[in-house]
């Protein structure tokens, strides 16, 4: 008998337990175990079989770690077909997250029961795939084409109640899956038509064309949502016996696609990122109350995120008016959540009562952690920590949200440096997924582990970063912008660069993005860096000149583009084009045309190079940390896997070549990472 699939037949009812931790994925042993079970149960002449999962969940899908390898017998669709065709009716009694191959297994069974709260979904789309064992063919036959498209093209989950409402369940139970299965088997209804043999209600002739247009727009370059749509169209137009092999073939083809490889890389990276070496052996400290200093946009966002995660929050501002304004801002975020249906009235009451605001640092005394989010200036931040240290426990954690300053300087003169940490949030802090967790040389493992624990509770992707100018994300951003400016000088326009990067998959190009977020912060940074900038590094002044002309971006209706009142669409501005040409002429540059591909190659080369330097210097532990920073903080397309994965995918030799061109274009301006030189 298989270790992972245990069969126990009593009173003609077979109990089939899948026990393959952590999530009962359908690896080879599970597939073989299930196939053997079908034969054994059939031979025993059982009257019903109940399949259920041991541990925290029913089957949560295929084993993703097997997807890079050649498929091994028996294949999942054959196993599920055997279950559906078995003379013995199978009952799926599911709980937890019944996803992908797990949902497909349930659909192959004659009956489906779910524990209240069980979540169902076809997340293959998020891995660049279509289901591989009939999911796209059975689901529309079970719950209709519309609902099936909604699930398969987005990967979103629905709960048991919703699935029942859609006609996909035979019952919802509380308590133990096996017990529920046994109770159901004791009074077994007549066996319904197999799901694969059910009819699908016809749709309008232009239905799929319309869906295609809709989904293409939403997919932003990712191809799997459209692949899933196509597979469901097969279900709607072909008999199961024809549609299913087509789905399977597409699934196998997609496993080898660049997009699926990238998305699988991100899946595993998102799990590995939570376990950097630096926290090995560290134990998270208990945090109940968080003091947030600064009630501006950033501070309010952080406070709101902490409230939502269930923490008590004390907001501190410099005077009573500012404290009130900060509290109002947070109240506004709560209101917004209510309006969008994300926060219930009851929850809002709880959130409001967990928040207090004060202008007196004595209020911080009860906090276990303080997060400072005040103006980006050493002279403003240092006194904040002195005041906090004077009132808080000597072991309470002190965190700065600085983006560019050196945290070591910020904490100068404060006791117990093991408790210092950087928690770099991205604006808006209650929405953006990324949290850079910055380790100072003195930070203890327990404090670092607490940072990661906090990130998890806030539902953020916490990435460990060492100290350097801009940490991981903004340091790469600044290299990227610098190279974009060199391209501008040498022949491109903002429009062309923006278009090339959008076509690559970025949500926005570098110039339209600067206009959106404002040009001032980068300007201030360039001024700050001026003293330490190598004298022979190429410097492009165009951004500075725009700021001097008070062109700060959308808010001033002028930046790299110009904007009509109330319209966010960037319009070309001859002022900027002339300025670029003038600056190039002054610098003695002969402008030439660049293809979009050259633009992408060079901008990606500097991103990858900077990422490689960051890893080389030990600022990031691994390439995957860099990838996740760019994906979760800067809109780098997930389906490209992050810059470092993209570099590996196109081949580091190609990146090396592009980097050599970058260096030739602007000599003395780039330090090249070991692996690219
Ligand atoms: N194949 C292989 N490993 C899987 C897996 C799968 N389908 N699903 C989860 N795992 C592994 C994770 O890598 C993780 O391993 P680790 O502890 O070594 O890092 C472990 O199982 C726990 O997963 P995690 O995501 O950390 O737990 P969770 O409770 O937060 O979430 C799920 C559980 C099932 C919701 C989530 O793991 C998930 O969405 N899995 C993918 C489901 C999927 O895409 N299925 C379709 C595959 S075609």
């Amino acid at each position: 008998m298989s270790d992972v699939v245990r069969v126990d037949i009593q009173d003609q009812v077979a109990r089939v337990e899948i026990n393959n931790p952590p999530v009962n994925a359908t690896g080879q042993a599970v597939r073989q175990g299930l196939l053997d079970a079908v034969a054994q149960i059939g031979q025993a002449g059982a009257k019903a079989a109940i399949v259920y999962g041991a541990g925290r969940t029913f089957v949560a899908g295929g084993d993703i770690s097997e997807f890079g390898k050649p498929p091994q017998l028996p294949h999942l669709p054959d196993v599920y077909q055997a279950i559906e065709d078995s003379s013995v009716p199978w009952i799926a009694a599911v709980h937890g997250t019944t996803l992908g191959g797990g949902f497909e297994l349930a659909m192959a069974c004659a009956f489906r029961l779910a524990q209240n709260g069980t979540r169902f979904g076809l997340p293959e789309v998020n891995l660049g795939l279509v289901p591989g064992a009939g999911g796209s063919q059975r689901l529309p036959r079970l719950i209709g084409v519309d609902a099936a498209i909604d699930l398969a093209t987005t990967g979103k989950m629905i709960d048991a109640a919703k699935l029942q409402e859609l006609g996909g369940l035979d019952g919802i139970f509380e308590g133990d899956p096996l017990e529920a299965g046994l109770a159901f088997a004791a009074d077994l209804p007549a066996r319904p038509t197999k799901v694969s043999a059910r009819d699908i209600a016809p749709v309008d002739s232009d239905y799929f064309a319309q869906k295609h247009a809709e989904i293409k727009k939403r997919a932003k370059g990712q191809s799997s949502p459209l692949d899933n749509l196509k597979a469901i169209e097969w279900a709607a137009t072909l008999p199961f016996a024809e549609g299913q092999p087509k789905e399977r073939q597409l699934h196998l083809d997609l496993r080898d696609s660049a997009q699926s490889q990238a998305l699988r890389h991100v899946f595993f990276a998102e799990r590995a990122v939570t376990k950097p070496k630096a926290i090995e052996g560290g134990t998270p400290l208990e945090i109940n109350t968080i003091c947030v200093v600064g009630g501006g946009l950033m501070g309010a966002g952080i406070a709101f995120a902490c409230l939502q995660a269930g923490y008590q929050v004390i907001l501190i501002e410099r005077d009573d008016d500012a404290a009130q304004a900060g509290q109002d801002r947070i109240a506004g975020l709560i209101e917004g959540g209510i309006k969008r249906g994300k926060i219930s009235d009851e929850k809002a009451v709880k959130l409001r009562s967990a928040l207090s605001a004060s202008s007196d640092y004595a209020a911080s005394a009860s906090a276990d952690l303080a997060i400072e989010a005040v103006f980006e200036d050493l002279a403003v931040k240092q006194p904040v920590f002195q005041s906090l240290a004077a009132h808080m426990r000597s072991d309470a954690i002190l965190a700065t949200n600085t983006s560019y300053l050196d945290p070591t300087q910020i904490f100068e003169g404060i006791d117990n440096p093991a408790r210092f940490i950087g928690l770099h949030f991205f604006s808006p802090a209650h929405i953006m997924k990324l949290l850079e967790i910055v380790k100072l040389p003195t930070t203890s493992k327990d404090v670092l582990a607490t940072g990661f624990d906090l990130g998890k509770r806030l539902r953020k992707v916490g990435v460990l970063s060492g100290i350097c100018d801009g940490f991981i994300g903004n340091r790469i951003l600044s290299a990227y912008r610098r190279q974009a400016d060199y391209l501008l000088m040498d022949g491109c326009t903002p429009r062309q660069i923006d278009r090339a990067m959008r076509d690559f998959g970025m949500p926005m190009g570098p110039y339209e993005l600067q206009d959106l977020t404002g040009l001032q912060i980068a300007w201030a940074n360039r001024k700050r860096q001026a003293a330490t900038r190598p004298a022979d590094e190429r410097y492009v002044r165009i951004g500075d000149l725009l700021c001097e002309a008070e062109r700060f971006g959308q808010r001033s209706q002028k930046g790299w583009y110009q904007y009509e009142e109330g319209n966010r669409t960037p319009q070309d501005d001859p002022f900027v084009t002339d300025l670029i040409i003038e600056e190039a002429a002054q610098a003695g540059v002969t402008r030439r045309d660049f293809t979009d591909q050259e633009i992408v190659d060079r901008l990606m080369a500097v991103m990858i190079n900077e990422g490689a330097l960051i890893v080389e210097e030990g600022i990031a532990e691994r390439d995957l940390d860099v990838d996740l920073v760019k994906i979760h903080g800067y809109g780098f397309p997930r389906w490209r896997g992050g810059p470092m994965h993209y570099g590996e995918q196109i081949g580091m030799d190609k990146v090396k070549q592009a980097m050599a061109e970058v260096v030739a274009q602007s000599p003395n301006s780039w330090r090249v990472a070991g692996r690219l030189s």
Side-chain angles (χ1 to χ4, degrees):
M1 191 160 63
S2 150
D3 288 344
V4 294
V5 179
R6 225 164 44 90
V7 180
D8 175 22
I9 306 175
Q10 290 177 35
D11 305 327
Q12 285 187 292
V13 177
R15 294 120 165 105
V16 183
E17 183 189 74
I18 302 177
N19 187 356
N20 185 27
V23 297
N24 292 324
T26 56
Q28 195 277 336
V30 170
R31 298 196 298 273
Q32 189 62 55
L34 284 173
L35 197 57
D36 294 345
V38 177
Q40 185 192 343
I41 293 163
Q43 276 161 18
K47 73 176 176 55
I50 300 156
V51 60
Y52 64 100
R56 64 203 248 196
T57 183
F58 190 65
V59 174
D63 186 341
I64 302 170
S65 61
E66 280 186 0
F67 287 179
K69 303 168 195 155
Q72 274 184 305
L73 285 169
H75 300 314
L76 204 55
D78 301 333
V79 176
Y80 291 173
Q81 200 55 56
I83 289 174
E84 196 179 46
D85 293 343
S86 166
S87 56
V88 179
W90 279 54
I91 302 161
V94 309
H95 74 296
T97 39
T98 298
L99 304 176
F103 199 3
E104 290 176 303
L105 169 54
M107 287 191 275
C109 290
F111 301 100
R112 279 158 299 284
L113 311 174
Q115 193 181 62
N116 196 9
T118 302
R119 290 187 298 159
F120 294 85
L122 291 178
E124 287 86 348
V125 63
N126 296 330
L127 298 168
L129 297 169
V130 297
S136 68
Q137 306 303 295
R138 285 195 179 92
L139 191 58
R141 289 178 162 91
L142 183 67
I143 62 172
V145 170
D146 244 359
I149 289 176
D150 191 28
L151 289 193
T153 64
T154 62
K156 82 174 183 204
M157 293 192 227
I158 53 171
D159 66 7
K162 180 73 188 169
L163 184 59
Q164 187 167 44
E165 189 188 312
L166 291 167
L169 283 182
D170 299 286
I172 294 181
F173 61 85
E174 305 282 346
D176 183 63
L178 176 59
E179 293 301 324
L182 288 170
F184 189 82
D187 190 14
L188 203 63
R191 192 168 176 166
T193 309
K194 297 179 203 180
V195 173
S196 69
R198 295 186 191 175
D199 292 330
I200 292 184
V203 293
D204 290 345
S205 58
D206 63 345
Y207 176 86
F208 281 99
Q210 264 184 24
K211 283 282 172 193
H212 189 278
E214 224 174 82
I215 292 168
K216 186 176 167 123
K217 198 161 162 220
R218 212 178 54 213
K220 299 198 174 86
Q222 186 175 330
S223 46
S224 54
L226 289 172
D227 290 323
N228 276 278
L229 180 68
K230 185 162 58 182
I232 290 178
E233 189 171 359
W234 291 333
T237 51
L238 299 172
F240 182 84
E242 283 177 47
Q244 187 275 322
K246 284 173 88 75
E247 175 215 71
R248 175 72 183 170
Q249 191 55 51
L250 182 56
H251 169 87
L252 292 177
D253 292 346
L254 289 175
R255 280 192 193 188
D256 297 329
S257 69
Q259 288 201 7
S260 178
Q261 282 170 10
L263 289 163
R264 269 144 49 201
H265 158 74
V266 178
F267 177 86
F268 287 115
E270 281 171 346
R271 278 139 191 95
V273 76
T274 61
K275 303 164 200 148
K277 275 210 185 66
I279 63 166
E280 268 172 26
T283 310
L285 306 168
E286 192 178 328
I287 304 289
N288 296 308
T289 303
I290 299 177
C291 171
V292 176
V293 186
L297 219 62
M298 181 57 99
I302 295 172
F304 180 53
C306 293
L307 286 170
Q308 280 190 299
Y311 294 104
Q312 293 286 319
V313 175
I314 302 160
L315 179 75
I316 294 193
E317 258 291 1
R318 61 184 179 281
D319 56 41
D320 288 345
D321 286 350
Q324 186 60 50
Q327 195 162 14
D328 292 348
R329 200 168 270 139
I330 299 165
L333 293 172
I334 297 174
E335 278 306 310
I338 298 173
K339 272 196 198 117
R340 283 195 307 280
K342 302 257 182 211
I343 297 177
S344 66
D345 290 338
E346 195 189 340
K347 173 106 189 270
V349 172
K350 268 197 191 147
L351 297 185
R352 286 189 203 108
S353 70
L355 172 70
S356 59
S358 174
S359 58
D360 183 353
Y361 276 88
S364 68
S366 62
D368 308 296
L369 158 72
I371 305 173
E372 160 279 311
V374 302
F375 191 68
E376 191 73 351
D377 183 343
L378 205 55
V380 181
K381 290 189 190 278
Q382 281 175 331
V384 165
F385 284 106
Q386 279 148 13
S387 306
L388 286 170
H391 290 95
M392 291 177 76
R393 283 195 329 260
S394 63
D395 64 342
I397 301 177
L398 300 180
T400 172
N401 177 53
T402 184
S403 307
Y404 288 97
L405 302 175
D406 180 348
T408 314
Q409 284 183 327
I410 295 177
F411 292 114
E412 229 163 51
I414 312 267
D415 284 346
N416 192 6
R419 61 178 169 151
F420 303 162
I421 192 170
L423 293 174
H424 184 211
F425 289 83
F426 289 72
S427 193
H430 57 293
I431 292 174
M432 293 294 288
K433 279 274 185 206
L434 179 62
L435 175 66
E436 283 179 328
I437 299 174
V438 181
K439 177 181 181 304
L440 283 76
T442 54
T443 311
S444 75
K445 276 185 188 274
D446 288 353
V447 168
L448 258 196
T450 312
F452 276 85
D453 199 48
L454 176 83
K456 192 171 165 191
R457 271 187 67 180
L458 298 180
R459 298 193 178 187
K460 304 223 175 278
V461 178
V463 181
L464 178 71
S465 173
I467 297 177
C468 64
D469 202 326
F471 308 118
I472 300 174
N474 282 339
R475 174 167 160 186
I476 296 178
L477 178 67
S478 120
Y480 172 69
R481 285 188 175 165
R482 196 148 63 83
Q483 174 58 23
D485 284 357
Y486 295 161
L487 285 164
L488 267 193
M489 283 288 271
D490 292 349
C492 301
T493 61
R495 173 78 66 192
Q496 190 194 0
I497 294 174
D498 284 348
R499 185 191 60 216
M501 294 320 290
R502 261 181 193 261
D503 288 350
F504 175 79
M506 298 294 204
M508 278 192 167
Y511 295 106
E512 47 185 341
L513 184 62
Q514 284 183 58
D515 273 2
L516 179 73
T517 55
L519 274 61
Q520 298 98 318
I521 292 180
W523 187 31
N525 279 326
R526 288 193 301 272
K527 286 195 233 175
R528 184 174 53 77
Q529 291 160 337
T532 51
R533 187 176 300 121
D536 52 357
E537 181 181 300
R538 185 175 182 195
Y539 189 73
V540 177
R541 303 190 302 170
I542 303 170
D544 299 347
L545 297 174
L546 292 180
C547 289
E548 281 165 25
E550 297 190 348
R551 301 179 60 112
F552 295 125
Q554 279 190 20
R555 249 170 268 168
S556 51
Q557 280 180 261
K558 284 185 185 124
W560 289 98
Y561 297 93
Q562 54 184 335
Y563 300 85
E564 285 161 15
E565 180 93 48
N567 184 347
R568 287 160 165 262
T569 317
Q571 315 277 352
D572 290 333
D573 188 338
F575 175 88
V576 177
T577 336
D578 291 349
L579 183 65
I580 295 168
I581 291 170
E582 230 170 81
E583 282 296 297
Q586 245 190 44
V589 171
T590 313
R591 284 168 61 81
R592 69 142 168 115
D593 287 341
F594 284 83
T595 63
D596 286 9
Q597 189 62 49
E598 276 178 304
I599 294 172
V600 169
D601 288 348
R602 291 186 188 198
L603 286 173
M604 285 312 303
V606 295
M607 248 201 216
I608 296 164
N609 180 60
E610 206 63 35
L613 285 169
I614 284 169
V615 175
E616 214 166 274
E617 294 165 15
I619 303 289
E621 277 191 5
R622 305 151 295 188
D623 282 8
L624 66 88
D625 297 300
V626 174
D627 284 340
L628 292 189
V629 164
K630 297 320 281 185
I631 289 172
H632 289 292
Y634 299 82
F636 194 95
R638 188 180 173 89
W639 53 268
R640 294 236 190 235
M644 308 312 285
H645 176 85
Y646 171 78
E648 291 295 340
Q649 204 160 54
I650 62 168
M652 278 298 176
D653 281 347
K654 260 194 167 160
V655 182
K656 231 186 215 181
Q657 173 61 32
M659 197 58 210
E661 286 162 15
V662 163
V663 171
Q665 182 188 355
S666 313
N668 306 321
S669 302
W670 296 102
R671 192 154 62 81
V672 179
R675 68 178 114 153
L676 291 180
S677 53

